Amino acid sequence: MYIQFPYLSQGSLTAAVMDRCVWRQVRDDNPGRYRDWHSTVFDEQGEKGSGWASTDNLLDITRGVDGVDADAVDSCMQTDRADIESSIAADVTKAQELGLRGSPASIFYNRDTGDTGRLVGAQPYARFETEITAVQNA
Amino acid sequence: MNDHVSRLLAALAYPLTSGRRTLAAGLVAVATYCLLILSTFPTYSMQLLGADMGYLDEAVVALTANIYQTTGALGLSLVVAYAVTTGVALTAAVGRARVADRTGVRGLSSVVPGLLASGCASCGAGILGLLGFAGALATLPFQGNLLRLAGLCLLLGYLSRLGDPRQCAVTPAE
């Protein structure tokens, strides 16, 4: 499960909202397109504060991703933005309660035992293996 | 003004006056660089190094790449310059303390304030992150470059007052 943690600027929040809109648009019929969209935005990101994460520019990027209906995403941005922003604000609060202070961060959860693990940042793969194993065996 | 410049140049050249001083300044510079780089993402650094100190090189390389991507060549250059200047300043401070011991002049008390003033101006952003200000470095003006520049200026100002630590300036009587 992905949880948004926008903290850099208004552009971060715009991108986070569009992320949710894209997921809503593709999740039933073609969920794999979400990853394509996410990778494309990551590859085409601009400098911080340059305004690259504006709604218009993000929609332009979205139009270049096969299988994602940019018009439907635009419609979602206009009609559902406030609700999605509220949901993201709740997620950010929850993440902060879990001790997360930046991104990326990963939480591991054992449903049977309730044990959790946490990794902050893009750590080496071996660290993920160790943490997942520890939570599984907890 | 010329006095300050000549004292600064003398202080900068001091570590080159012997092999041991050069080595000491180099080691301090490397240690400072690692500290500054690791402090840009303190929770990541602490977790990774807490698991295994063997990850030190990986963390330094990853965060060096990160700081280059977020602050550009200027930001990385400022960190390197700050680390090198810290190496020079600490070596010069130790040199001044040794001279002071021999001459009976106030010892560390004359050098510590300058170093403390320079202190952690450059890694302050990392400390902000440690205190819970998410993305503190990225949210600072110029991605923290201004803070790094301020720290560097303080260090250079300290060195321009210190000069060659083996020489004591005597103000002529009027």
Side-chain angles (χ1 to χ4, degrees):
Chain A
M1 178 193 297
Y2 284 112
I3 290 181
Q4 306 297 317
F5 196 87
Y7 59 85
L8 288 180
S9 63
Q10 184 61 31
S12 297
L13 185 56
T14 300
V17 173
M18 191 171 291
D19 179 284
R20 295 298 82 197
C21 284
V22 169
W23 174 243
R24 289 179 181 189
Q25 201 265 315
V26 302
R27 64 184 170 189
D28 294 328
D29 299 327
N30 209 347
R33 293 298 173 194
Y34 169 78
R35 277 189 170 278
D36 295 340
W37 177 85
H38 195 277
S39 300
T40 304
V41 171
F42 191 85
D43 290 341
E44 297 192 17
Q45 65 183 301
E47 294 289 324
K48 173 183 165 281
S50 66
W52 75 271
S54 66
T55 302
D56 288 344
N57 191 52
L58 287 171
L59 284 172
D60 282 344
I61 294 172
T62 303
R63 287 189 184 90
V65 182
D66 288 338
V68 179
D69 184 345
D71 291 335
V73 172
D74 188 16
S75 176
C76 168
M77 291 292 287
Q78 292 180 38
T79 59
D80 298 339
R81 179 164 187 150
D83 287 342
I84 294 174
E85 283 188 3
S86 298
S87 167
I88 289 173
D91 284 343
V92 169
T93 301
K94 183 69 179 173
Q96 288 170 336
E97 287 172 359
L98 291 171
L100 302 180
R101 292 166 177 169
S103 68
S106 306
I107 297 282
F108 309 99
Y109 176 62
N110 186 327
R111 293 184 183 186
D112 297 328
T113 63
D115 285 294
T116 60
R118 182 182 68 172
L119 285 181
V120 177
Q123 298 196 23
Y125 183 72
R127 290 280 299 130
F128 279 82
E129 280 187 321
T130 302
E131 197 66 28
I132 289 170
T133 303
V135 172
Q136 278 178 333
N137 298 334
Chain B
M1 183 65 185
N2 284 340
D3 283 351
H4 281 288
V5 173
S6 57
R7 279 203 296 269
L8 174 61
L9 292 176
L12 289 173
Y14 173 70
L16 302 176
T17 54
S18 82
R20 284 181 63 186
R21 289 172 191 145
T22 305
L23 181 64
L27 289 176
V28 172
V30 169
T32 304
Y33 177 80
C34 291
L35 186 66
L36 292 176
I37 287 292
L38 294 174
S39 74
T40 60
F41 198 169
T43 47
Y44 163 83
S45 302
M46 286 192 299
Q47 197 173 42
L48 198 51
L49 299 183
D52 187 345
M53 282 300 291
Y55 285 122
L56 177 63
D57 56 339
E58 190 152 347
V60 170
V61 169
L63 292 179
T64 295
N66 191 49
I67 202 167
Y68 179 73
Q69 287 175 346
T70 53
T71 67
L74 176 64
L76 188 56
S77 301
L78 284 172
V79 173
V80 171
Y82 189 95
V84 170
T85 313
T86 300
V88 173
L90 273 180
T91 308
V94 171
R96 171 53 58 90
R98 284 183 173 168
V99 170
D101 274 350
R102 284 202 300 269
T103 57
V105 183
R106 285 179 307 156
L108 279 176
S109 61
S110 62
V111 295
V112 168
L115 290 178
L116 287 181
S118 316
C120 206
S122 183
C123 66
I127 289 176
L128 289 176
L130 196 63
L131 294 174
F133 293 89
L137 197 67
T139 55
L140 284 171
F142 308 106
Q143 286 81 36
N145 280 352
L146 215 53
L147 198 62
R148 295 189 184 95
L149 187 61
L152 187 58
C153 287
L154 278 169
L155 271 177
L156 291 174
Y158 166 68
L159 288 175
S160 74
R161 287 174 55 84
L162 184 66
D164 187 324
R166 296 167 298 180
Q167 299 170 356
C168 287
V170 177
T171 305
E174 297 193 11

